[in-house]
C-alpha cells in the first residue's frame, strides 16, 4: 500500500516504521524513562465521547478557526518536529507545502535541517518558527532577527525541556551526539534501502540550518550538531522571557505550559498564546497528560489569549475532543511526520487530508456545523465509571 492510499494515521505509522532504520524510527517514537507518556497521551481521548445533536442541517460544515488575525481552513496545524530532514530528505519543505495547500500553519523546528529563510519563502503567512533558545543570548537574538526579517509572524518558544532528556532507547541505540552506532544497528539500517538511497543521494548527514551560521567556521554537519547540543537545551527563566518579549516583534507563543499559575505569569509577561503540551512524551515521562491540563490553563487565562494544545492526536475526533475541552487550536507532531516519512509530499498531504476529512465527518455526525461552536456541552464521559471525575 502506498502512503497516498492510507485510510488513517495508524496506517501511515506502519508505513513509516517499515521505511526507516530502527534507530531513526525509535527516535520519533521514543519517550523518556518508562515511556508511559506517549501512550497515555493517545489514550486520553478515550475518556470522552461527543454527545450528538441530531436532526440538525449539517449540509454546510465549517472547520475554520481564526488565530492571531488569520483565518486557517482547519482547526489544526503541523507542530515542530526536529530533524525531520534526517527521516526524509526535504521533509520540512514538504510539510510547508502541505500546510500552504491545506491553508494551515506549519511550525518549523529550531532543530530543523533547512534554514528558516528557505522555508519562509515557500510558506508565506503560514510559517511559524519554533525557537530552542541558546545558552548564548546573542544567538537567540540573532535567530529572532533572521526569522522576523524572513516574514515569520509567530514565534513558538518551547519551555518544557530545560535540561537534557533521558530517552533510553536513543541512548541504547547510540542516537546521541556524537553518534556511536553499534554494528547491529548499522546492519539493521541496511534492511531499509529506500531510506538509505535517499539519504546518500541527499549527501548523507544533513546540517542544522538554523545553527550552521553560529558554529565555528568550517564546521561540518556533525560539528554543527555538537555545537547545537552545547547550546540546547538551555535553562531559561522569566527574566529571559522578558528579553524575548522585548526582542521579538511578532506574536509570542509558549509551548509546554501546563500549570495555571505559569499561564497567568505568561499572560502578565505579554505572551500572546500558549500551547499546552508535554512534548509528545519526549521531555519527561512524569509531566501531566496535556488533555487533562487544558481546562485549568484555559480558565487561568480567561479567554485573554489563545490556549492551544498538542499530544497524541491520531484522529479527527481527537481534535474535536480537544476543541470541546477548550483548545483554541490544535497541533499534530507525529501524525504528519509519519505521513511525510512514509510517502514524502504525497504522504504529508495524505496525513492532513485524513485529519481534515475526519474532522469534517465528525462535525456532521454530531450535528455541529461550525467548529467554532464546539465546547464542553458536546462532551460526555465514555463510561459511567469516569463520570465521578468528569468536569
Ligand atoms: C521526532 C520529534 C521531534 C520533535 N521535535 C520538537 C522540537 O524540535 N521542538 C518542540 O518544541 N517539540 C518537538 N517535538 C514535539 C512536538 O512538537 C509535539 O509537541 C508532539 O509531537 C505532540 O505529540 P504527538 O506527536 O503525539 O502529536 C518533537 C516530536 C517528535 C515526535
Amino acid at each position: 500500500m502506498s502512503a497516498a492510499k492510507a485510510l488513517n494515521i495508524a496506517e501511515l505509522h506502519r508505513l513509516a516504521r517499515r521505511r526507516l532504520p530502527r534507530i531513526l524510527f525509535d527516535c520519533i517514537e521514543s519517550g523518556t524513562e518508562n515511556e508511559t507518556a506517549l501512550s497515555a497521551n493517545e489514550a486520553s481521548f478515550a475518556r470522552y465521547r461527543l454527545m450528538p445533536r441530531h436532526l440538525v442541517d449539517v449540509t454546510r460544515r465549517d472547520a475554520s478557526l481564526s488565530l492571531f488575525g488569520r483565518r486557517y481552513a482547519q482547526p489544526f496545524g503541523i507542530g515542530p518536529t526536529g530533524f525531520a530532514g534526517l527521516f526524509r530528505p526535504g521533509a520540512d519543505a514538504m510539510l510547508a507545502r502541505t500546510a500552504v495547500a491545506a491553508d494551515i500553519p506549519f511550525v518549523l523546528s529550531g532543530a530543523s535541517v533547512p534554514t528558516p529563510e528557505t522555508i519562509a519563502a515557500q510558506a508565506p503567512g503560514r510559517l511559524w518558527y519554533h525557537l530552542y533558545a541558546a545558552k548564548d543570548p546573542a544567538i537567540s537574538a540573532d535567530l529572532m532577527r533572521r526569522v522576523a526579517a524572513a516574514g515569520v509572524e509567530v514565534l513558538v518558544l518551547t519551555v518544557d525541556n530545560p535540561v537534557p532528556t533521558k530517552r533510553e532507547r536513543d541512548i541504547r541505540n547510540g542516537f546521541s551526539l556524537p553518534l556511536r552506532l553499534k554494528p547491529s544497528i548499522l546492519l539493521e539500517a541496511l534492511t531499509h534501502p529506500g531510506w538509505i538511497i535517499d539519504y546518500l543521494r541527499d549527501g548523507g548527514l544533513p546540517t542544522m540550518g538554523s545553527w550552521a551560521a553560529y558554529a565555528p567556521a568550517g564546521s561540518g554537519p556533525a560539528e554543527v550538531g555538537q555545537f547545537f547540543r552545547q547550546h540546547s537545551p538551555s535553562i531559561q527563566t522569566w527574566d529571559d522571557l522578558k528579553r524575548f518579549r522585548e526582542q521579538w516583534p511578532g506574536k509570542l507563543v509558549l509551548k509546554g505550559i501546563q500549570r495555571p499559575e505559569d499561564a497567568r505569569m505568561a499572560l502578565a509577561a505579554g505572551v500572546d498564546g500558549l500551547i499546552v503540551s508535554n512534548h509528545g512524551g519526549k521531555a519527561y515521562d512524569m509531566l501531566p497528560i496535556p488533555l487533562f491540563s487544558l481546562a485549568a490553563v484555559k480558565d487561568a487565562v480567561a479567554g485573554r489569549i489563545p490556549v492551544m494544545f498538542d499530544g497524541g492526536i491520531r484522529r479527527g475526533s481527537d481534535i474535536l475532543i480537544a476543541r470541546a475541552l477548550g483548545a483554541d487550536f490544535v497541533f499534530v507532531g507525529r501524525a504528519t511526520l509519519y505521513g511525510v516519512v512514509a510517502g514524502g509530499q504525497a504522504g504529508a498531504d495524505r496525513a492532513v487530508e485524513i485529519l481534515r476529512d475526519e474532522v469534517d465527518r465528525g462535525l456532521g455526525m454530531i450535528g455541529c456545523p461550525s467548529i467554532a461552536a464546539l465546547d464542553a456541552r458536546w462532551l460526555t464521559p465514555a463510561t459511567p465509571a469516569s463520570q465521578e471525575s468528569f468536569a
Side-chain angles (χ1 to χ4, degrees), residues 28 80-82 109 130 132 158 255 277 279-280 310 312 314 333-334:
I28 293 177
T81 50
S109 168
H130 143 68
Y132 267 141
T158 297
K255 175 171 181 279
S277 168
H279 213 114
D310 78 20
R314 304 292 179 265
R334 291 182 182 81

Side-chain angles (χ1 to χ4, degrees), residues 108-329:
L108 181 69
S109 168
S112 65
V113 172
T115 62
E117 289 87 349
T118 315
I119 301 298
Q122 297 175 13
R126 291 289 169 270
L127 186 69
W128 298 15
Y129 182 77
H130 143 68
L131 182 72
Y132 267 141
K135 282 184 185 150
D136 177 356
I139 295 180
S140 303
D142 193 58
L143 272 169
M144 285 189 273
R145 180 197 56 75
R146 285 170 55 189
V147 170
V152 171
E153 295 163 4
V154 185
L155 186 82
V156 177
L157 182 70
T158 297
V159 294
D160 61 13
N161 60 339
V163 297
T165 57
K166 189 168 185 240
R167 296 180 192 154
E168 295 179 3
R169 260 198 270 189
D170 295 345
I171 298 167
R172 183 61 62 226
N173 286 339
F175 192 89
S176 48
L177 287 166
L179 288 177
R180 280 202 199 89
L181 303 183
K182 290 184 292 191
S184 59
I185 299 282
L186 285 170
L187 275 178
E188 198 278 341
L190 291 176
T191 64
H192 301 270
W195 176 83
I196 291 183
I197 289 164
D198 271 2
Y199 177 77
L200 295 176
R201 201 183 282 151
D202 195 53
L205 189 65
T207 303
M208 297 172 72
S210 290
W211 292 81
Y214 312 111
S219 293
E223 291 79 35
V224 174
Q226 274 162 15
F227 180 81
F228 168 69
R229 269 290 158 256
Q230 285 160 18
H231 278 276
S232 176
S234 68
I235 295 168
Q236 305 291 328
T237 66
W238 292 102
D239 280 342
D240 297 302
L241 181 66
K242 255 190 227 148
R243 183 167 41 83
F244 292 125
R245 180 62 289 181
E246 281 159 20
Q247 290 173 342
W248 174 251
K251 301 292 182 192
L252 179 62
V253 170
L254 293 192
K255 175 171 181 279
I257 294 290
Q258 299 231 44
R259 199 179 176 99
E261 194 185 333
D262 281 358
R264 280 189 287 270
M265 285 169 73
L267 184 61
V271 163
D272 300 293
L274 304 173
I275 304 179
V276 177
S277 168
N278 65 359
H279 213 114
K282 294 183 83 65
Y284 182 50
D285 207 34
M286 284 300 113
L287 294 182
I289 296 158
L291 196 68
F292 303 146
S293 308
L294 185 55
V297 172
K298 179 89 183 167
D299 275 359
V301 302
R304 307 254 313 269
I305 53 173
V307 175
M308 298 163 267
F309 163 86
D310 78 20
I313 286 179
R314 304 292 179 265
R315 287 281 183 191
S317 55
D318 299 339
I319 295 172
L320 298 184
I321 288 169
R323 168 81 195 158
L325 280 165
D328 291 300
F329 207 77

